[in-house]
Amino acid sequence: MKPDLFEAPDYYNIDDLLSEEHKLVRSAAREWVKRDVSPIIEEYAQKAEFPKQIINGLAEIGAFGPYIPAEYGGAGLDQISYGLIMQEIERGDSGVRSTASVQSSLVMYPIWKYGNEAQRQKYLPKLATGEWMGSFGLTEPDHGSNPGGMTTNFKDMGDHYLLNGAKMWISNAPFCNVAVVWAKDESGRIHGLIVERGMEGFSTPETHNKWSLRASATGELIFDNVKVPKENLLPNKSGLGAPLGCLDSARYGIAWGAIGAAMDCYDTALRYSKERMQFGKPIGGFQLQQKKLAEMITEITKAQLLALRLGQLKNDDRATTAQISMAKRNNVDMAINIAREARQMLGGMGITGEYSIMRHSMNLESVITYEGTHDIHLLITGLDITGLNAFK
Ligand code: TGC
Ligand code: FAD
């Protein structure tokens, strides 16, 4: 793969709106991606393997629990810093950002928000350092967009719960030490349970043959009469709103992350357009190529402003689920379109692993599907503005 020469576009001087802390956090993440991710990521994506050696680095840049308080091992940062870290990581690879998103917003967040003090003390510090890695089990083979239909269930056996069922498409599953699993009790109410690797009847087979997110490990979570200790139930929130609350946090991170992937594609295409000569001049001198680049930077700038404003609302605890949906949907769509246009600008070279664009393009097919599909987010906006439910 080519050396990582990335230079971040900031067409509207958005840096002026960031604090010194934001810029320091971003700079640490950016330098780490250049040093430890860019040189190896193409090889790992090609062989469809998660590069476990980057776990320590992810922890060191604060990517595991950026906004979790320091007393639990988190970085204690604000929501804009969290977003900037996700942006920089996804600039390297969406699969690496997935690992961080799941650990932070889908495993640490529910333990912090819905767990008791003993659970926070037991799990959060180890998750913050990456000593333990987590996964989040909501989706099932027959219940993806409609997680409320889940059939995974547990029975109260007196001194423990008995868990049965299966989750599918679970990021980090093949190597996770703990899984936050959503399952129904005997009355049909949804609860979160912390399941640990090694519990009898719990297995995590890997999902192979993916053309997308190849540097992220995806798998199933299978529960065959797993005895879960009663103290592993998250006591402070139940119902579908509990997992959906975690998704708000992860979707917010994706809205920033997608900007990173788009910036990388734009920056690569811009540089290539100044170097690649055809018909006696750089291809960047042709109007058709300039149209692509001008539209890319316009869309990136709009997405940056959307994410920053959403971050301000999140910092004030005022961001709504529907506002988060709009940003996730818009920014991922923006990134996937830019990846496609940028790929074309590189001609044949665009399909090779010499450049990052094709990998981003394939990764974004997962990003536009997980954490709520493109269409589901449109329906969330539709419901919000009309008050009419078009899901069912
Ligand atoms: P609905 O009736 O709308 O809501 C059920 C209950 O939940 C409440 N609620 C929320 N609470 C907190 N935060 C939110 N964001 C909430 N959204 C809804 C709601 O008020 C209600 O509460 P109550 O007390 O009245 O019961 O639920 P629904 O069954 O109609 O479904 C709505 C729908 C379709 C929007 C939702 O289920 C949905 O978002 N579906 C998409 C599923 C999804 O996003 N799955 C993601 C799986 S995890 C993943 O993909 C990780 S990939 C990670 C990576 O690798 O980066
Ligand atoms: P379906 O729900 O079957 O949807 C199929 C199509 O129907 C979509 O286009 C959808 O938009 C459309 N559709 C569905 N309902 C409606 C409707 N009411 N109106 C109009 N159109 C509709 N899940 C986890 O729990 N944890 C994870 O860590 C995780 N990681 C993932 C990693 C990867 C690489 C992938 C690909 C997925 C991951 N997922 C995870 C699952 C992901 O969240 C689901 O794939 C996603 O929510 C969509 O569910 P589905 O695949 O079952 O599609």
Side-chain angles (χ1 to χ4, degrees), residues 190-202:
I190 294 171
H191 297 264
L193 296 164
I194 306 171
V195 179
E196 295 185 20
R197 185 171 294 282
M199 287 180 178
E200 205 179 325
F202 174 42

Side-chain angles (χ1 to χ4, degrees), residues 97-98 145 147 171 241 244-245 247-248 251 321 370-372 392:
R97 198 268 308 135
S98 271
S145 298
S171 302
L244 292 180
L247 295 183
D248 274 357
R251 290 167 177 173
T321 293
Y370 66 33
E371 301 269 6
K392 319 176 188 185

Side-chain angles (χ1 to χ4, degrees), residues 142-214:
D142 294 330
H143 302 96
S145 298
N146 174 27
M150 70 175 67
T151 58
T152 297
N153 65 88
F154 62 96
K155 289 192 170 60
D156 188 337
M157 306 302 281
D159 63 341
H160 64 272
Y161 297 121
L162 200 63
L163 178 65
N164 278 290
K167 301 289 177 178
M168 191 180 178
W169 294 118
I170 308 303
S171 302
N172 300 353
F175 59 80
C176 69
N177 305 88
V178 294
V180 170
V181 176
W182 300 95
K184 286 181 175 165
D185 67 14
E186 286 151 281
S187 72
R189 182 114 185 125
I190 294 171
H191 297 264
L193 296 164
I194 306 171
V195 179
E196 295 185 20
R197 185 171 294 282
M199 287 180 178
E200 205 179 325
F202 174 42
S203 58
T204 61
E206 185 158 359
T207 302
H208 296 289
N209 293 330
K210 291 182 301 170
W211 284 114
S212 173
L213 231 63
R214 288 169 64 81

Side-chain angles (χ1 to χ4, degrees), residues 139-384:
T139 306
E140 299 187 350
D142 294 330
H143 302 96
S145 298
N146 174 27
M150 70 175 67
T151 58
T152 297
N153 65 88
F154 62 96
K155 289 192 170 60
D156 188 337
M157 306 302 281
D159 63 341
H160 64 272
Y161 297 121
L162 200 63
L163 178 65
N164 278 290
K167 301 289 177 178
M168 191 180 178
W169 294 118
I170 308 303
S171 302
N172 300 353
F175 59 80
C176 69
N177 305 88
V178 294
V180 170
V181 176
W182 300 95
K184 286 181 175 165
D185 67 14
E186 286 151 281
S187 72
R189 182 114 185 125
I190 294 171
H191 297 264
L193 296 164
I194 306 171
V195 179
E196 295 185 20
R197 185 171 294 282
M199 287 180 178
E200 205 179 325
F202 174 42
S203 58
T204 61
E206 185 158 359
T207 302
H208 296 289
N209 293 330
K210 291 182 301 170
W211 284 114
S212 173
L213 231 63
R214 288 169 64 81
S216 162
T218 314
E220 295 166 64
L221 302 174
I222 296 176
F223 316 103
D224 180 9
N225 286 318
V226 180
K227 285 184 184 176
V228 180
K230 285 201 152 170
E231 67 258 26
N232 284 28
L233 183 124
L234 297 175
N236 295 334
K237 189 157 169 116
S238 64
L240 186 58
L244 292 180
C246 308
L247 295 183
D248 274 357
S249 181
R251 290 167 177 173
Y252 165 74
I254 291 174
W256 281 90
I259 298 171
M263 290 198 304
D264 198 48
C265 294
Y266 165 76
D267 181 60
T268 304
L270 178 62
R271 190 170 298 109
Y272 191 87
S273 77
K274 293 181 197 168
E275 293 166 357
R276 176 68 176 167
M277 304 288 288
Q278 287 296 294
F279 299 96
K281 69 176 192 180
I283 59 165
F286 297 116
Q287 286 186 359
L288 282 174
Q289 305 310 315
Q290 287 191 4
K291 177 174 186 288
K292 289 187 204 295
L293 290 166
E295 286 176 351
M296 284 181 207
I297 191 62
T298 307
E299 291 308 312
I300 288 171
T301 304
K302 284 152 68 180
Q304 286 171 328
L305 290 166
L306 193 62
L308 182 65
R309 177 61 187 145
L310 188 63
Q312 292 167 341
L313 290 170
K314 269 221 126 217
N315 276 344
D316 294 346
D317 214 11
R318 286 198 293 143
T320 66
T321 293
Q323 287 170 333
I324 294 168
S325 276
M326 181 184 283
K328 191 269 185 186
R329 180 175 187 272
N330 181 79
N331 289 9
V332 178
D333 192 51
M334 172 279 298
I336 211 167
N337 289 332
I338 286 180
R340 186 150 195 272
E341 293 291 307
R343 212 282 317 140
Q344 291 188 58
M345 286 189 67
L346 268 67
M349 286 311 292
I351 69 151
T352 72
E354 285 292 298
Y355 295 90
S356 54
I357 298 176
M358 191 72 191
R359 178 167 44 79
H360 283 306
S361 189
M362 294 192 300
N363 283 342
L364 288 162
E365 292 292 339
S366 288
V367 182
I368 205 165
T369 298
Y370 66 33
E371 301 269 6
T373 66
H374 191 63
D375 290 341
I376 288 295
H377 288 297
L378 177 133
L379 295 176
I380 290 173
T381 305
L383 170 58
D384 194 50

